[in-house]
């Protein structure tokens, strides 16, 4: 290197946001190959720090034979050890097996060498013992074949993985690597009534070969489509994402609008058009409110799709799914009309695009960190979209939820398994949201708003612990918040 060039480089490197950042963070070839085209331009510089994120390449077929849906394919994962210690094993979660043995895996190879898996936790976890430990920073390539017959009855976790009423809903349908942290690999018997996905962000390239008449709704962005002999072969690429979700139905129709430069699309049945169009409007409004408050939504597309499920809605990276039963104008949930419920549920699930998609927490051990917060930001959506009266109405609904356990001061910070289903709903979705309201009073609203912006900015694409949240909040208000965190049981 010539001295002149060296001097130039030193000068450039002293400048913030310089070309030097690009030199230091040159993306690895695998990421470059998979350079996602669903990420907004302003977030592309984040890619340099995600060189070690896993890359999933899935090639799969969907077949419908006599009302039974079979999905099979190959999955190749380039996994890099992002920990500070060598790893002796790698786990995959097989979430479809929460409801029964639906997903099986075979022909596993690690760097070309055949490998026998060790099945654990009622076949919901698959352990691969490495021949020699994988040192920090080193990569390995895992190849496998997967095969599943999708259940046609709702079961397992909220009934999110199902083929019912001509809708295929593929929730966490492929083997996916969980988070490794100070607890080791995060594998356990998944709870039946809480969110299960706890993953580092990854990059996905998924090619789906499916009957031509299915309208496919999938994570990432469509990059290629070939239609031939009544089949469609479509490739989706995306990342950084927490997951890859896919829904399909021959009966989906759609409408879309552009909000903040993002193409927002709502998929619904023609008979529920008015609800489908309303969900589109709510989704776009929520996206604009949260983009303004917490930083722009990071992708160029957001899909909102109606599927059968036992829950009200569920979040996935760049996709929101909502219970199709609430699209029926005559539907109710408790005493709430379905249309009122859909408003809150849509805003809630869009809120997860920040608190789940961008900032992830352990949803099994600390479900309040995203669920309670997302309930609170739904209140902010009401405030910014409809004004104080509507927001107070939503806040009253949080109080009513808590009242289902007689407003017992049950700590908000317990793991999902320590709550009964009634407590889980009342505390995590009611009392926990009121904690954030109390926190905003304690900190002053301006400091609280600054805290949430900083929380997303600092931990985007990362994983947070309660102490991270407390620290950023205390920095924002320059005050000690131990008392309020302890009083509500956010930190025990
Ligand atoms: Zn939620």
């Amino acid at each position: 290197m010539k001295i002149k060039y060296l001097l130039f480089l030193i000068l450039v490197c002293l400048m913030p946001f310089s070309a030097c950042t690009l030199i230091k963070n040159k993306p690895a070839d695998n990421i470059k190959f998979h350079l996602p085209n669903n990420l907004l331009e302003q977030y592309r510089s984040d890619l340099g720090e995600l060189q070690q994120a896993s890359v999933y390449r899935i090639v799969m077929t969907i077949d419908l034979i006599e009302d039974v849906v079979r999905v099979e394919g190959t999955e190749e994962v380039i996994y890099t050890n992002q920990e500070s210690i060598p790893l002796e094993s790698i786990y995959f979660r097989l979430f479809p097996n929460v409801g029964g043995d639906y997903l099986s895996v075979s022909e596993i190879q690690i760097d070309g060498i055949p490998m026998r898996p060790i099945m654990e936790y009622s076949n919901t976890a698959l352990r691969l013992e490495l021949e020699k430990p994988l040192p920090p920073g080193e990569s390995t390539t895992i190849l496998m074949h997967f095969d599943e017959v999708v259940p046609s009855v709702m079961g397992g976790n909220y009934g999110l993985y199902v083929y019912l009423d001509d809708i295929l809903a593929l929730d966490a349908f492929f083997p996916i690597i969980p988070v490794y942290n100070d607890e080791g690999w995060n594998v356990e018997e998944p709870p039946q009534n809480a969110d299960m996905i706890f993953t580092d962000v990854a990059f996905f390239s998924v090619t789906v070969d499916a009957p031509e008449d299915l309208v496919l709704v999938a994570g990432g962005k469509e990059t290629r489509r070939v239609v031939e002999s009544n089949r469609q072969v479509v490739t989706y690429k995306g990342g950084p994402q927490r997951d890859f979700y896919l829904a399909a139905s021959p009966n989906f129709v759609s409408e879309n609008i552009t909000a903040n430069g993002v193409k927002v699309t709502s998929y619904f049945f023609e008979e529920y058009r008015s609800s489908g169009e309303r969900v589109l409007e709510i989704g776009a409004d929520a996206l604009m409110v949260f983009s303004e408050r917490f930083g722009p939504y990071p992708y160029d597309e957001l899909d909102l799709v109606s599927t059968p499920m036992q829950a009200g809605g569920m979040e996935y990276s760049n996709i929101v799914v909502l219970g199709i039963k609430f699209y029926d104008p005559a539907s109710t949930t408790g005493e709430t009309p379905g249309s009122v419920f859909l408003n809150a549920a849509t805003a809630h699930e869009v809120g997860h695009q920040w608190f789940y998609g961008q900032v992830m927490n352990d949803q099994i051990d600390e479900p309040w960190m995203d669920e309670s917060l997302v309930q609170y930001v739904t209140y902010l959506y009401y405030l910014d979209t409809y004004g104080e009266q509507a927001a107070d109405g939503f806040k009253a609904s949080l109080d009513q939820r808590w009242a289902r356990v007689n407003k017992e001061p049950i700590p908000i910070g317990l793991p999902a398994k320590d709550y009964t289903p009634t407590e889980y709903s009342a505390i995590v979705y009611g009392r926990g949201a009121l904690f954030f309201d109390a926190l905003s009073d304690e900190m002053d609203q301006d400091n609280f708003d600054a805290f949430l912006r900083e929380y997303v900015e600092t931990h985007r694409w990362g994983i947070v612990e309660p102490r991270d949240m407390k620290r950023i909040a205390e920095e924002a208000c320059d005050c000690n918040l131990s008392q309020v965190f302890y009083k509500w049981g956010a930190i025990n």
Side-chain angles (χ1 to χ4, degrees), residues 195 313-315 348-349 352 363 370-372 374-375 429:
D195 297 340
M314 186 53 76
E315 68 277 12
H348 173 107
E349 304 306 346
H352 275 301
Q363 302 199 91
D370 62 327
E371 292 306 339
S372 303
V374 165
Q375 284 289 74
Y429 292 85

Side-chain angles (χ1 to χ4, degrees), residues 354-372:
W354 282 261
F355 308 104
Y356 164 85
Q358 295 177 60
V359 181
M360 177 58 122
N361 56 280
D362 186 334
Q363 302 199 91
I364 291 174
D365 288 349
E366 285 118 14
W368 69 279
M369 286 193 75
D370 62 327
E371 292 306 339
S372 303

Side-chain angles (χ1 to χ4, degrees), residues 7-16 18-21 23-24:
L7 277 173
F8 167 72
L9 207 59
I10 290 168
L11 270 176
V12 165
C13 291
L14 288 172
M15 288 154 57
S18 66
C20 187
T21 321
I23 296 164
K24 281 190 294 197

